[in-house]
Amino acid sequence: AQSVTQLDSHVSVSEGTPVLLRCNYSSSYSPSLFWYVQHPNKGLQLLLKYTSAATLVKGINGFEAEFKKSETSFHLTKPSAHMSDAAEYFCVGLNGGYNKLIFGAGTRLAVHP
Amino acid sequence: DVKVTQSSRYLVKRTGEKVFLECVQDMDHENMFWYRQDPGLGLRLIYFSYDVKMKEKGDIPEGYSVSREKKERFSLILESASTNQTSMYLCASSSTVWGQGFHEQYFGPGTRLTVT
């Protein structure tokens, strides 16, 4: 079975500085991995997904993530944070049939002026 | 745009009440899911359904049941609400068809349920 671990529960950055949200996964096979974002009082929105094509995946709003098999990592990055990026981010794996998702515990990103 | 709607954004119920949470999707998706979200625990799957009248237990089904009589509608039922069921409940749907967002789950805005 696949599992995902988000290494930071909170990350705080200044506006205009890079963002790094870390995620490690464990899987006995080639995983499918996702990042979702949840803004306050909103549902979850898909940022990007990795499904064994290119290892560098580009998503919406300038985010990207790199799949590194040797490190079992799928970290989310953005070159320059914007105030509107403040939200909770979930690293998610796919487990089994019927599209069952396995969620990490979430990382809350704060962006300061 | 895919739209998943949930019947209530906020709900307050008393212990022992029967509670219905409704979810409707408009994209003809085969799969539908119910999660609960608690701080520090991420989202945990309660039940899911891959077809009308079909259901499968997720990771935390105890105290919950579901109903799917129509493809677009998936209901979560708390037979006798308890205070430990106070949580945010999220519904999602997904397609099983390649080229139609296969693997991608689309989420509703959530229902914040408080049981007193």
Side-chain angles (χ1 to χ4, degrees):
Chain A
Q2 185 171 215
S3 66
V4 292
T5 303
Q6 292 183 246
L7 302 178
D8 308 290
S9 59
H10 291 83
V11 170
S12 181
V13 301
S14 298
E15 190 175 20
T17 64
V19 176
L20 170 64
L21 306 182
R22 299 182 296 164
C23 174
N24 286 352
Y25 71 91
S26 66
S27 177
S28 55
Y29 49 87
S30 183
S32 293
L33 295 163
F34 311 79
W35 277 98
Y36 279 80
V37 61
Q38 185 179 33
H39 287 95
N41 299 314
K42 297 283 181 67
L44 276 75
Q45 180 184 18
L46 180 68
L47 271 180
L48 50 80
K49 65 179 178 181
Y50 167 77
T51 53
S52 71
T55 56
L56 182 62
V57 183
K58 293 189 185 297
I60 60 172
N61 301 335
F63 284 94
E64 61 182 38
E66 186 171 8
F67 174 76
K68 291 187 176 180
K69 187 174 181 179
S70 60
E71 299 176 10
T72 61
S73 69
F74 189 58
H75 301 335
L76 182 71
T77 60
K78 184 173 181 178
S80 177
H82 192 273
M83 296 296 290
S84 62
D85 294 328
E88 189 152 23
Y89 292 79
F90 293 94
C91 182
V92 183
L94 184 68
N95 190 20
Y98 309 117
N99 303 32
K100 288 179 66 176
L101 299 182
I102 305 299
F103 284 79
T107 299
R108 187 166 296 278
L109 175 66
V111 182
H112 301 288
Chain B
D1 276 357
V2 176
K3 196 163 186 182
V4 180
T5 56
Q6 296 183 227
S7 51
S8 305
R9 292 300 303 273
Y10 300 93
L11 210 52
V12 179
K13 295 292 182 181
R14 294 190 182 277
T15 300
E17 279 193 83
K18 190 169 186 176
V19 182
F20 293 87
L21 302 181
E22 304 285 339
C23 175
V24 178
Q25 51 95 3
D26 67 357
M27 278 300 293
D28 201 35
H29 283 171
E30 294 78 14
N31 301 326
M32 295 189 74
F33 307 82
W34 274 107
Y35 297 90
R36 64 176 284 175
Q37 181 179 16
D38 301 288
L41 297 177
L43 274 74
R44 293 177 292 167
L45 181 64
I46 304 172
Y47 266 97
F48 67 101
S49 168
Y50 53 91
D51 201 353
V52 175
K53 297 192 185 294
M54 305 304 290
K55 60 185 179 185
E56 292 283 343
K57 292 180 180 179
D59 301 316
I60 52 164
E62 295 78 20
Y64 304 95
S65 62
V66 290
S67 173
R68 193 167 180 199
E69 297 296 319
K70 294 185 178 181
K71 190 175 185 179
E72 67 272 18
R73 188 179 299 269
F74 192 36
S75 302
L76 180 69
I77 304 156
L78 287 66
E79 295 288 343
S80 178
S82 63
T83 55
N84 63 13
Q85 293 179 309
T86 292
S87 187
M88 171 72 86
Y89 290 87
L90 291 163
C91 175
S93 71
S94 69
S95 173
T96 58
V97 179
W98 284 101
Q100 293 185 8
F102 186 65
H103 288 327
E104 295 177 28
Q105 291 191 14
Y106 296 85
F107 286 82
T111 296
R112 187 166 293 282
L113 172 66
T114 302
V115 183
T116 61

